């Protein structure tokens, strides 16, 4: 996966240099027509590219075709794609395209969290907290906060105020969160964020 800052910097470089737009993954010229783009993505899917499968699953989900989204995400998750595991947990939670199934939801959340997906880790913390397992919830929230998840840091803060988190653990979560945020800062990402913000105005 490529961050928005790197993608934006590359797009800007290509635009300013009057270069052809190329795929940041394979460096081939990006197709101009939607049909060509879909054909290229299908080739990547046939070659078992989990990122392409995940992307196709997201497109199908956005179109309301949850059954197809489920199929693409299942294939990508089997190849270790953590985003697909997370998306499958949402389908099982909401019963979209599949029967609601808490065990399968938790399985996919756990797989995504183990793979480093911060929101999956946060959701596991919420799951444990709702069941009164605050010690387990705290562990999940601290890990997610150290991955840079703002909502988890807020949860750690609330649990600290309620007496479920020690002062040392709270300080560790704060330091870890700040380190994660600092590690993701770059001039390219800041420029990309401003550009994206400008597009939404």
């Amino acid at each position: 996966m490529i961050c928005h800052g790197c993608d934006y910097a590359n797009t800007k470089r290509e635009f300013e240099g009057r270069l052809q737009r190329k795929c940041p993954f394979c460096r081939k010229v990006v197709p101009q027509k939607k049909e060509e783009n879909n054909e290229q993505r299908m080739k990547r899917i046939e070659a078992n590219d989990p990122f392409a499968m995940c992307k196709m699953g997201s497109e199908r989900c956005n179109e309301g075709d949850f059954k197809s989204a489920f199929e693409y995400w299942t294939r990508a998750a089997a190849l270790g794609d953590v985003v697909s595991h997370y998306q499958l947990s949402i389908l099982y939670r909401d019963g979209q395209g599949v029967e609601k199934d808490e065990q399968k939801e938790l399985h996919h959340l756990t797989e995504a969290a183990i793979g480093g997906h911060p929101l999956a880790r946060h959701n596991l913390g919420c799951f444990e907290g709702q069941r009164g397992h605050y010690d387990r919830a705290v562990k999940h929230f601290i890990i997610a906060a150290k991955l840079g998840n703002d909502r988890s840091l807020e949860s750690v803060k609330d649990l600290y105020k309620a007496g479920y988190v020690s002062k040392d653990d709270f300080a560790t979560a704060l330091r870890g969160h700040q380190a994660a945020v600092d590690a993701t800062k770059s001039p390219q990402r800041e420029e990309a964020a401003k550009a994206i913000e400008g597009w939404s105005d």
Side-chain angles (χ1 to χ4, degrees), residues 151-172:
R151 290 168 52 190
S152 290
L153 184 62
E154 286 301 313
S155 296
V156 171
K157 186 190 304 181
D158 292 342
L159 290 167
Y160 171 69
K161 289 176 185 175
Y164 293 105
V165 176
S166 71
K167 188 174 183 178
D168 287 343
D169 285 343
F170 183 48
T172 299

Side-chain angles (χ1 to χ4, degrees), residues 24-90:
F25 295 101
C26 67
R27 300 290 183 209
K28 292 183 180 175
V29 175
V30 174
Q32 298 299 312
K33 295 181 181 175
K34 187 175 182 178
E35 297 82 23
E36 292 173 354
N37 192 30
N38 286 340
E39 185 180 317
Q40 190 177 46
R41 183 174 299 141
M42 288 311 295
K43 285 181 184 176
R44 289 175 55 201
I45 288 170
E46 288 167 11
N48 284 331
D49 179 343
F51 182 79
M53 291 175 197
C54 182
K55 186 84 170 155
M56 187 65 86
S58 296
E59 284 185 17
R60 294 294 177 259
C61 184
N62 290 337
E63 294 167 358
D65 184 356
F66 301 115
K67 190 173 187 291
S68 291
F70 172 79
E71 291 169 4
Y72 282 112
W73 285 332
T74 299
R75 286 178 61 195
L79 294 169
D81 187 76
V82 295
V83 174
S84 294
H85 275 296
Y86 177 74
Q87 296 296 355
L88 287 168
S89 77
I90 301 300

